[in-house]
Amino acid sequence: MALADFDFSTPDLFSVVRDSYLSDNGLFARRDPTYGFHFVIADAAFYDLEVFEVTGSTFSGTAAEASTADGLRVVINGPKYSVPLFGDTTSSGPIIQDGRAHDSYVKMDSYYIGKMPGRGIDVYSVGRAQSTAILDPRDAPGTEFSHAVGSLVPLLHDGIPFGISNMSDDARITQIANTGLAGEWFPYFAPKGKPIYGLHRSKRLLFFLAQKDATLPGIQIEPLLKLLVEHNVSDAVIGDGSDSVGLVVDGVAEITPWPGKNATIPWGLALRLAAPVVKTGSTTITDTSDSSLAPYIGAPLDPGAAADFKWTAAGLQVTVQSLGGGFDASTFHLSELPVILTAVSGKDLAEEVTLQSSDGLFEIVCAMDAGASDRGTIIGTFSIFESTGAGLAVVCRGTLSWPLT
């Protein structure tokens, strides 16, 4: 099923997508009707970018078969690669998958995109390779990637586009010289295939852009860069283009590489839905009007059952199985547990978000502390109410700190 059309040049596109369209489990996949390319935007709080290994006979077949399994939703082709006369196909790399490096050559002055352990936009890094080693520590000091690909051509870094020479305006750099690699993408005439991977840090979004080779009219790099700058994109890099471009979304091959490439592409990049699941490990009562709960004020409740976060058409949703400590629903004057709470708009956990049950008797105000653990921790407050003749009265109020699992 072909993707629906949506204009990539829509003003403030990433804000529009963030505020209004991230209802498909935090993912937005469309085709631009003006230029003919496809693009996918995903919430970094709910999706992990990972390296995808092609283990079957074709890239598109392997990706389609794997897509939709265990949350894997999108696969795009990766960096350039070589096909030797004898031996295995090799990437121009580097490739790091699940923390394991695959030996390959790193082109000097090329760029990489990588993901460190954890969740959210801050665990992603885009930078310039300083050596021909596998992500030499000089490339990204203090980082340890779980997934990364290199030998990529930069388009933007920290919001500044690349070009043939350095340019500045009032002492502010407006273009970065790309002397080593600019020649590789300036000849990319409009119809030529282009796979692009990028980050929008302020909106906390990941995105892929894929243009099939020989697309008409297509888009040249310069006007595409102009659009990315207008959209305040932070970083963008380009992988193996031309007839190598492939894109699979939810099991459907939206773009299939040329057969010879489809049979030899070794790696791709994927977006996997990994909605947070938490253990209610610390839920502390700080205030209560119920005398039976008074002894527990200031004391953490014992770990309870899991709670899960996910996207729905209405926004963010959390299902709370228990607050722990053996407290059942009647303790808090709730009708039942588990209870489902839903946010009124599609915001991710990097912002403070308010979730309420449909009856208004349970409320959580929370955000994600990305640095609190490897995968982050949901922190915030909860309030439980009961209905009285005079309206809602607080039964219990407290704090929560729930590590992601």
Side-chain angles (χ1 to χ4, degrees), residues 116-168:
M116 293 167 279
R119 188 182 296 277
I121 198 67
D122 292 336
V123 304
Y124 291 94
S125 177
V126 173
R128 177 177 175 269
Q130 303 295 320
S131 72
T132 56
I134 299 295
L135 283 186
D136 186 282
R138 291 171 295 175
D139 298 346
T143 62
E144 181 179 348
F145 291 113
S146 53
H147 290 271
V149 296
S151 290
L152 306 174
V153 179
L155 299 179
L156 286 129
H157 186 47
D158 291 335
I160 303 173
F162 282 78
I164 294 177
S165 60
N166 282 322
M167 296 177 64
S168 62

Side-chain angles (χ1 to χ4, degrees), residues 45-405:
F46 287 79
Y47 283 82
D48 289 333
L49 184 145
E50 61 185 50
V51 170
F52 178 82
E53 183 176 8
V54 179
T55 57
S57 59
T58 65
F59 164 82
S60 57
T62 304
E65 184 176 350
S67 185
T68 72
D70 298 324
L72 189 71
R73 297 195 59 189
V74 182
V75 184
I76 190 171
N77 70 295
K80 290 184 177 180
Y81 66 98
S82 60
V83 182
L85 291 176
F86 303 99
D88 296 330
T89 300
T90 60
S91 172
S92 60
I95 298 292
I96 295 179
Q97 183 189 41
D98 292 326
R100 177 175 175 266
H102 297 262
D103 292 338
S104 52
Y105 175 75
V106 181
K107 186 178 294 184
M108 287 292 289
D109 293 321
S110 66
Y111 270 60
Y112 61 83
I113 183 169
K115 178 187 182 295
M116 293 167 279
R119 188 182 296 277
I121 198 67
D122 292 336
V123 304
Y124 291 94
S125 177
V126 173
R128 177 177 175 269
Q130 303 295 320
S131 72
T132 56
I134 299 295
L135 283 186
D136 186 282
R138 291 171 295 175
D139 298 346
T143 62
E144 181 179 348
F145 291 113
S146 53
H147 290 271
V149 296
S151 290
L152 306 174
V153 179
L155 299 179
L156 286 129
H157 186 47
D158 291 335
I160 303 173
F162 282 78
I164 294 177
S165 60
N166 282 322
M167 296 177 64
S168 62
D169 179 14
D170 297 329
R172 182 179 65 88
I173 296 176
T174 58
Q175 180 173 284
I176 305 171
N178 188 16
T179 54
L181 296 169
E184 292 197 16
W185 55 258
F186 271 100
Y188 268 41
F189 56 92
K192 191 169 184 177
K194 306 169 183 72
I196 293 169
Y197 333 118
L199 311 173
H200 197 298
R201 293 193 182 276
S202 66
K203 295 301 176 184
R204 304 172 303 282
L205 298 168
L206 311 169
F207 77 92
F208 291 159
L209 188 152
Q211 178 178 295
K212 182 179 176 64
D213 198 44
T215 292
L216 294 174
I219 188 169
Q220 287 182 298
I221 292 295
E222 291 90 335
L224 176 58
L225 272 174
K226 184 173 183 293
L227 277 175
L228 296 178
V229 171
E230 289 175 353
H231 290 326
N232 296 312
V233 166
S234 307
D235 298 275
V237 287
I238 188 167
D240 189 13
S242 189
D243 54 7
S244 295
V245 178
L247 178 69
V248 173
V249 180
D250 290 334
V252 177
E254 300 290 345
I255 299 176
T256 301
W258 175 70
K261 298 291 185 67
N262 201 22
T264 54
I265 292 173
W267 301 99
L269 280 174
L271 294 173
R272 184 185 298 276
L273 177 63
V277 175
V278 303
K279 290 290 185 180
T280 54
S282 176
T283 310
T284 304
I285 298 174
T286 58
D287 182 30
T288 178
S289 62
D290 187 331
S291 60
S292 67
L293 298 175
Y296 299 95
I297 293 179
L301 307 184
D302 293 333
D308 65 280
F309 289 78
K310 66 180 180 179
W311 280 94
T312 70
L316 185 62
Q317 178 178 290
V318 58
T319 301
V320 178
Q321 307 288 344
S322 169
L323 288 175
F327 291 91
D328 59 20
S330 61
T331 304
F332 297 111
H333 303 268
L334 296 172
S335 59
E336 62 180 6
L337 283 174
V339 63
I340 297 174
L341 304 99
T342 302
V344 295
S345 63
K347 294 182 179 180
D348 71 13
L349 295 170
E351 294 181 345
E352 187 176 87
V353 60
T354 299
L355 303 112
Q356 292 181 319
S357 59
S358 59
D359 58 12
L361 299 182
F362 201 159
E363 179 180 275
I364 290 177
V365 181
C366 62
M368 183 177 68
D369 182 357
S373 68
D374 283 347
R375 296 187 66 81
T377 298
I378 306 301
I379 58 174
T381 60
F382 70 91
S383 299
I384 300 175
F385 307 87
E386 64 178 348
S387 183
T388 68
L392 295 179
V394 175
V395 174
C396 181
R397 183 179 286 119
T399 61
L400 53 88
S401 178
W402 296 347
L404 299 180
T405 60

Side-chain angles (χ1 to χ4, degrees), residues 1-8 21 24 28-34 36-40 247 249-250 252 254:
M1 179 176 170
L3 297 180
D5 286 348
F6 194 91
D7 196 340
F8 190 79
Y21 292 96
D24 181 16
F28 185 76
R30 295 292 188 271
R31 173 188 174 274
D32 181 86
T34 303
F37 59 74
H38 297 68
F39 62 97
V40 179
L247 178 69
V249 180
D250 290 334
V252 177
E254 300 290 345

